[in-house]
Amino acid sequence: MAKERFEKPTGTQDVLPGAVEKWQYIEGKARDLCRRFNYREIRTPMFEHTGLFERGVGETTDIVEGEMYTFKDKGDRDLALRPEGTAGVVRAYVQNKLYGEPDVSKLYYIGPMFRYERPQAGRYRQFHQFGIEAFGAVDPAIDAEVVSLGYQFYKDLGLKDVRVEINSVGNAPSRAAYREKLLGFLRPMKDTLCSDCQRRIERNPLRVLDCKVDQDKFTDAPSILDSLDEECTTHFEKVKMHLNIMGVEFTINPRLVRGLDYYTHTAFEYKAAGIGSIDTVGGGGRYNGLVEEIGGPDQPGIGFGIGLERILLILEDQKVELETAKPLDVYFVALGEEADIEISKQLYILRSQGFSAERDYLGRKMKAQMKSADRMSARYTAILGEDELKNGVITVKSMNTGEQRTVKLEELGQALV
């Protein structure tokens, strides 16, 4: 009987050697950038209580209504794989009382998220996000800082033509006033809209503007910017002022509302071509009521999430070469049984000194071993035969120049510097 052949679940991917180095490079750029901006890493569970996302993300969002991976554990608890990063970070911020710190809490995360949706270019059921969250400040300057950090991330990676779009979704009173204006615009056309929009009109009309099917029908929709009160208008003007001073180019998109319910004031997205019909590669905004909604004190927050899979696709589309290949420092070639044993010792010594080193484990001839060294882009080969071993020396060959020299075994590390 033939054994069952297993394949990866739909909407997931295997990141293999050769590709994983690109991920490491991107993640390294994110970590270095956060260090420069003084954001500290936080790691939260990949699953949380389902109610956290229902309360934090919003019951009327696509995520909660149909995209979450939910399950009951053996204790009959309702759990969900995290569909986004902010709610879990806010829960950790509240549970661990990080709000007691004297300074603004500036955090970042990198990790997998899970949503059940139709797989397509740049969109997977297990995907990865780099995100930041800043808690404790209402200053518009930190809104601009968060926007600028994401913008700089794309620049550091060498991506071209990344655009920033910003909007203000106001506070509760502003949105209430805008909601009535928007309903007056949407209700007469309700029967012409897609089923999702028809369902959202009464429950969450702002989400209708986020629809990808009926965008052409919303050209004359009222702008939320016309419903902002003085507080919201002042905040938005200062955000724009800070971005201008920083030199971060942006456009205002009054229909930008984002897909999550917790946003207040500033909302923004990063746009780039290169992944088919999808052009949003990241985004975020301010969420001043979310910490309190999840059981903490009334603390403001702002953050973003950036999809790493989409970045990789754009990097490929723009033919951006990443500096990911690090050559092997040395490849050992053993000639004879005693030399083979000594090489195990020398291999361990060099690795403990910080060098990358490899050897043959397949019992191949010298020519095949040299080819293997070449495939691994080794800087040097270290060739040890019986005569060299008796004299306590080893032959070091530069793979770039072909130059060979003999060095003492105890001085091998110095010869590789």
Side-chain angles (χ1 to χ4, degrees):
M1 182 181 295
K3 292 183 179 180
E4 181 179 0
R5 180 182 176 183
F6 293 97
E7 297 185 352
K8 65 181 184 297
T10 301
T12 64
Q13 57 179 332
D14 297 314
V15 184
L16 304 177
V20 76
E21 289 81 2
K22 296 179 180 179
W23 286 79
Q24 292 169 343
Y25 178 85
I26 292 172
E27 292 165 4
K29 286 288 188 181
R31 295 182 194 281
D32 181 66
L33 185 63
C34 287
R35 176 192 60 80
R36 285 146 50 193
F37 278 68
N38 197 33
Y39 284 73
R40 299 174 296 164
E41 185 175 7
I42 185 170
R43 302 187 183 192
T44 62
M46 282 189 280
F47 60 91
E48 302 265 7
H49 292 283
T50 304
L52 171 67
F53 301 114
E54 291 174 343
R55 184 182 299 181
V57 176
E59 293 183 359
T60 62
T61 62
D62 290 345
I63 293 172
V64 171
E65 287 184 333
E67 295 176 0
M68 282 204 302
Y69 280 95
T70 59
F71 61 97
K72 285 185 179 290
D73 69 1
K74 293 183 178 181
D76 203 37
R77 289 172 285 258
D78 289 314
L79 300 174
L81 298 179
R82 62 186 185 191
E84 56 93 49
T86 299
V89 174
V90 173
R91 191 269 312 148
Y93 174 79
V94 172
Q95 183 174 352
N96 295 284
K97 297 181 171 58
L98 298 184
Y99 49 79
E101 296 179 347
D103 298 310
V104 175
S105 292
K106 297 167 67 175
L107 308 169
Y108 79 91
Y109 59 86
I110 301 173
M113 310 292 162
F114 306 86
R115 296 183 193 175
Y116 187 87
E117 54 185 350
R118 184 172 62 86
Q120 53 184 291
R123 180 172 289 172
Y124 296 89
R125 291 176 179 175
Q126 176 178 315
F127 59 100
H128 298 76
Q129 280 191 343
F130 158 47
I132 68 171
E133 314 291 349
F135 301 99
V138 295
D139 190 337
I142 203 164
D143 298 42
E145 175 182 286
V146 169
V147 174
S148 70
L149 193 157
Y151 183 67
Q152 187 63 43
F153 179 54
Y154 296 114
K155 290 180 66 176
D156 285 356
L157 290 174
L159 288 177
K160 298 178 282 291
D161 302 322
V162 175
R163 311 183 308 279
V164 178
E165 294 186 357
I166 65 172
N167 191 26
S168 175
V169 294
N171 52 20
S174 296
R175 282 199 304 279
Y178 177 62
R179 186 179 189 276
E180 294 308 310
K181 293 181 181 179
L182 185 58
L183 283 172
F185 172 80
L186 293 174
R187 279 171 175 157
M189 66 173 68
K190 180 177 180 179
D191 293 340
T192 69
L193 301 178
C194 72
S195 58
D196 285 339
C197 287
Q198 292 181 22
R199 176 170 45 83
R200 290 171 180 158
I201 279 182
E202 300 300 331
R203 297 179 64 190
N204 194 344
L206 268 70
R207 290 290 325 286
V208 174
L209 298 181
D210 199 38
C211 177
K212 302 299 184 288
V213 177
D214 292 319
Q215 272 298 311
D216 59 322
K217 299 175 182 177
F218 306 140
T219 305
D220 297 325
S223 170
I224 192 171
L225 298 177
D226 296 330
S227 296
L228 299 182
D229 60 20
E230 184 176 356
E231 174 205 351
C232 296
T233 300
T234 300
H235 186 95
F236 192 46
E237 289 301 317
K238 288 184 177 179
V239 171
K240 292 187 289 183
M241 179 185 69
H242 284 289
L243 289 173
N244 282 324
I245 289 172
M246 292 175 178
V248 176
E249 297 182 2
F250 62 88
T251 57
I252 298 171
N253 179 357
R255 294 206 297 274
L256 194 163
V257 295
R258 301 291 293 153
L260 307 173
D261 285 352
Y262 49 61
Y263 288 118
T264 60
H265 290 288
T266 309
F268 59 93
E269 288 184 344
Y270 304 106
K271 305 276 191 176
I275 41 179
S277 61
I278 302 171
D279 64 353
T280 301
V281 292
R286 180 169 279 281
Y287 45 84
N288 285 354
L290 184 57
V291 174
E292 187 175 23
E293 180 68 25
I294 290 178
D298 184 12
Q299 286 285 310
I302 183 169
F304 69 59
I306 290 175
L308 299 188
E309 282 84 356
R310 295 186 179 185
I311 287 179
L312 284 161
L313 283 174
I314 298 171
L315 286 168
E316 183 178 354
D317 182 75
Q318 295 187 1
K319 296 179 173 55
V320 177
E321 294 292 331
L322 303 183
E323 299 174 5
T324 59
K326 291 187 177 181
L328 192 71
D329 288 319
V330 61
Y331 188 97
F332 281 96
V333 175
L335 304 175
E337 187 174 339
E338 291 185 19
D340 187 78
I341 294 171
E342 177 64 23
I343 274 182
S344 289
K345 173 185 173 182
Q346 296 299 325
L347 190 68
Y348 183 77
I349 290 172
L350 284 186
R351 287 168 171 170
S352 67
Q353 292 174 349
F355 293 98
S356 59
E358 188 56 281
R359 58 160 293 168
D360 177 62
Y361 291 103
L362 300 176
R364 295 176 291 190
K365 301 294 184 182
M366 180 177 177
K367 184 177 180 180
Q369 292 186 51
M370 295 297 288
K371 286 184 177 179
S372 183
D374 190 52
R375 284 194 300 272
M376 296 183 187
S377 301
R379 294 168 52 229
Y380 296 96
T381 51
I383 306 165
L384 185 65
E386 301 297 338
D387 290 340
E388 287 93 347
L389 183 58
K390 288 176 184 177
N391 295 318
V393 297
I394 191 167
T395 300
V396 177
K397 178 180 179 180
S398 169
M399 296 296 282
N400 288 329
T401 66
E403 178 187 354
Q404 289 189 183
R405 55 191 171 124
T406 301
V407 301
K408 294 180 180 179
L409 279 170
E410 61 268 23
E411 296 176 357
L412 178 56
Q414 300 171 31
L416 301 178
V417 176

